[in-house]
Amino acid sequence: MTTAPLPLAAKPLAARRHRFAAWFIDGLVCILATAPLTLSFYKETSASGESIFSSFVNPYAGNPEWRIEVVATVFLGIYFWLLHARWGQTLGKRLCRLKVVSSTTGEVPNIRDSGLRALVHPVLTAIPYLGAVLYLADALWMFADPKRRCLHDVIAKTVVIDLRDPDRRASGRSSLLVGLGILFALCIALVLVSTLLAR
């Protein structure tokens, strides 16, 4: 006897470790996509004598190429906004079998809520000196929230759910190995791209 698939609203919440894995994959994707812009930014920063740490905590101060930083940030915001509004999944969430849904309807968040969710990261990181701390607070919020929501989920009224079947969640070792293989491949690709662009 086959059981009917659970509706999205009835799916279990995503495990924190799976959310972290999805975040890591999306981070690598974004780094690879913006590498040409950000590498030129850091070359300019190192030539000006400013440390990479000070440019990280205050990316716009004393940076003649601040427009590059803005373009990269806008690109990342659009990446998260459009993919969450269309499918509820970024590449990282798709690989980890997670999905962002509205906490009120259980469906993919609408374009406004997806935009609000995607806007939190750029706004937090743009705040000089406090941006990195606020970004960390946003991520750590899921450890205090009973629904495992980050602060951007609370603001946009979304939750992240696990799409895997209950039977397959118990035997998740093979998917973990596949995920680790993908992460390793992305890391190698990042090293290769950064080496080629650094020449």
Side-chain angles (χ1 to χ4, degrees), residues 47-76:
S48 69
E50 190 176 342
S51 74
I52 289 178
F53 176 74
S54 64
S55 67
F56 175 73
V57 295
N58 192 9
Y60 306 108
N63 175 14
E65 301 295 330
W66 61 271
R67 289 175 192 88
I68 292 173
E69 221 26 58
V70 171
V71 169
T73 302
V74 168
F75 169 78
L76 299 180

Side-chain angles (χ1 to χ4, degrees), residues 9-10 23 27 37 39 41 48 57 67 80 93-94 110 126 132 140 180 197:
W23 169 83
L37 291 173
L39 284 177
F41 166 69
S48 69
V57 295
R67 289 175 192 88
F80 286 100
K93 287 183 183 69
R94 186 173 295 271
N110 61 37
L140 293 177
L180 289 175
L197 292 175

Side-chain angles (χ1 to χ4, degrees), residues 27-42:
L28 287 176
V29 167
C30 293
I31 287 170
L32 286 172
T34 60
L37 291 173
T38 53
L39 284 177
S40 66
F41 166 69
Y42 284 119

Side-chain angles (χ1 to χ4, degrees), residues 153-165:
D153 288 310
V154 174
I155 292 168
K157 297 183 178 114
T158 57
V159 293
V160 181
I161 58 171
D162 192 337
L163 295 177
R164 292 175 295 157
D165 294 330

Side-chain angles (χ1 to χ4, degrees), residues 98-130:
L98 306 179
K99 190 169 196 169
V100 175
V101 297
S102 168
S103 59
T104 55
T105 66
E107 298 299 323
V108 172
N110 61 37
I111 196 102
R112 183 186 63 83
D113 291 341
S114 295
L116 183 61
R117 190 179 195 276
L119 191 63
V120 171
H121 290 255
V123 168
L124 290 180
T125 55
I127 299 171
Y129 304 108
L130 290 177

